Amino acid sequence: MQRFVRWVLAPLARLILRPAVSGAHRIPRRGPVLLAANHRAAVDTALLAFVTPRPVAFLGKAEYFTGAGLRSRLSARFLTALGYIPVDRDHAKAGLAALDAARRVLDRGGVFAIYPEGTRSRDGRLHRGHTGVASLALSTGATVVPVALVGTQQVQPVGARMPRLAPVQVRFGRPLDFSRYEGLEGSAAIRRAVTDEVMDAIVSMSGQEYVD
């Protein structure tokens, strides 16, 4: 399934959607990388997986992976092949579980994608980022690559069940190095400063209005 997604489905999706991708060369070829992106539509995650030159891991709702029927099992296998990691978001410690899952990917030297806003933007603006992106970057030493997704809200508007064709862009920004804050991940002020720097980079590429 992973081979099918990477070598068949991804090229087919790129051929159909024809996303304008820039800056993909900025993603380090080796080592832990944290992709921090804005979030405009449900299609964002699949698009990132299809255009990023390295395999990418994401968080997914645990209920997407449950079910005993054939359809449910095939769906779970497909999502796993796309890079989804199941997390029970209804659990009291869901936030900690999500960070732990991301750290395991980064500690193995993998690529993990995160939406610092925490959810899709409903009004088209870029909203204040949660500091989980900073916690991951500071605790793992991962390189942070900001990403701007442009036009995906036209591919799959809020409430639309099926995507449609529309011009989209995926812009990978200049890598951000936060090694100067090594050992300071326990500081809330440092985590906020790192998060704000990441959000500044995203808004400069996306052109969205920023809401602090």
Side-chain angles (χ1 to χ4, degrees), residues 83-146:
Y84 277 89
I85 300 172
V87 172
D88 185 356
R89 296 185 179 183
D90 294 328
H91 194 275
K93 296 183 179 180
L96 294 176
L99 289 177
D100 286 343
R103 284 193 188 94
R104 288 194 292 272
V105 173
L106 297 171
D107 286 342
R108 294 195 300 266
V111 180
F112 186 85
I114 188 172
Y115 301 117
E117 294 171 275
T119 187
R120 278 180 287 168
S121 172
R122 299 285 176 166
D123 59 11
R125 298 183 295 177
L126 186 72
H127 293 260
R128 191 173 194 244
H130 297 284
T131 58
V133 62
S135 296
L136 290 173
L138 297 174
S139 64
T140 65
T143 299
V144 179
V145 176

Side-chain angles (χ1 to χ4, degrees), residues 6-212:
R6 190 153 186 83
W7 302 113
V8 178
L9 188 57
L12 181 61
R14 291 194 297 268
L15 180 64
I16 294 173
L17 293 175
R18 297 187 180 277
V21 182
S22 61
H25 64 281
R26 290 171 166 162
I27 299 173
R29 295 185 178 182
R30 285 180 288 275
V33 176
L34 190 57
L35 300 179
N38 60 335
H39 197 9
R40 303 295 304 275
V43 73
D44 291 345
T45 298
L47 182 61
L48 265 180
F50 292 153
V51 304
T52 302
R54 292 176 58 183
V56 187
F58 308 83
L59 294 181
K61 294 181 181 179
E63 53 262 38
Y64 292 163
F65 297 81
T66 59
L70 177 60
R71 182 177 179 180
S72 296
R73 292 198 299 270
L74 288 176
S75 176
R77 289 187 62 189
F78 177 70
L79 291 175
T80 300
L82 268 182
Y84 277 89
I85 300 172
V87 172
D88 185 356
R89 296 185 179 183
D90 294 328
H91 194 275
K93 296 183 179 180
L96 294 176
L99 289 177
D100 286 343
R103 284 193 188 94
R104 288 194 292 272
V105 173
L106 297 171
D107 286 342
R108 294 195 300 266
V111 180
F112 186 85
I114 188 172
Y115 301 117
E117 294 171 275
T119 187
R120 278 180 287 168
S121 172
R122 299 285 176 166
D123 59 11
R125 298 183 295 177
L126 186 72
H127 293 260
R128 191 173 194 244
H130 297 284
T131 58
V133 62
S135 296
L136 290 173
L138 297 174
S139 64
T140 65
T143 299
V144 179
V145 176
V147 185
L149 298 164
V150 181
T152 56
Q153 75 280 5
Q154 301 301 327
V155 174
Q156 194 168 11
V158 174
R161 298 187 64 181
M162 296 297 295
R164 60 193 183 191
L165 295 180
V168 294
Q169 299 179 47
V170 183
R171 303 168 181 170
F172 294 95
R174 181 173 50 83
L176 303 176
D177 179 12
F178 297 108
S179 59
R180 62 188 183 278
Y181 296 129
E182 183 178 359
L184 298 176
E185 61 265 26
S187 167
I190 294 297
R191 293 197 302 272
R192 173 45 55 191
V194 169
T195 302
D196 288 345
E197 186 173 337
V198 172
M199 301 309 289
D200 286 344
I202 296 173
V203 77
S204 69
M205 295 187 298
S206 70
Q208 294 170 270
E209 178 187 349
Y210 183 61
V211 182
D212 189 338

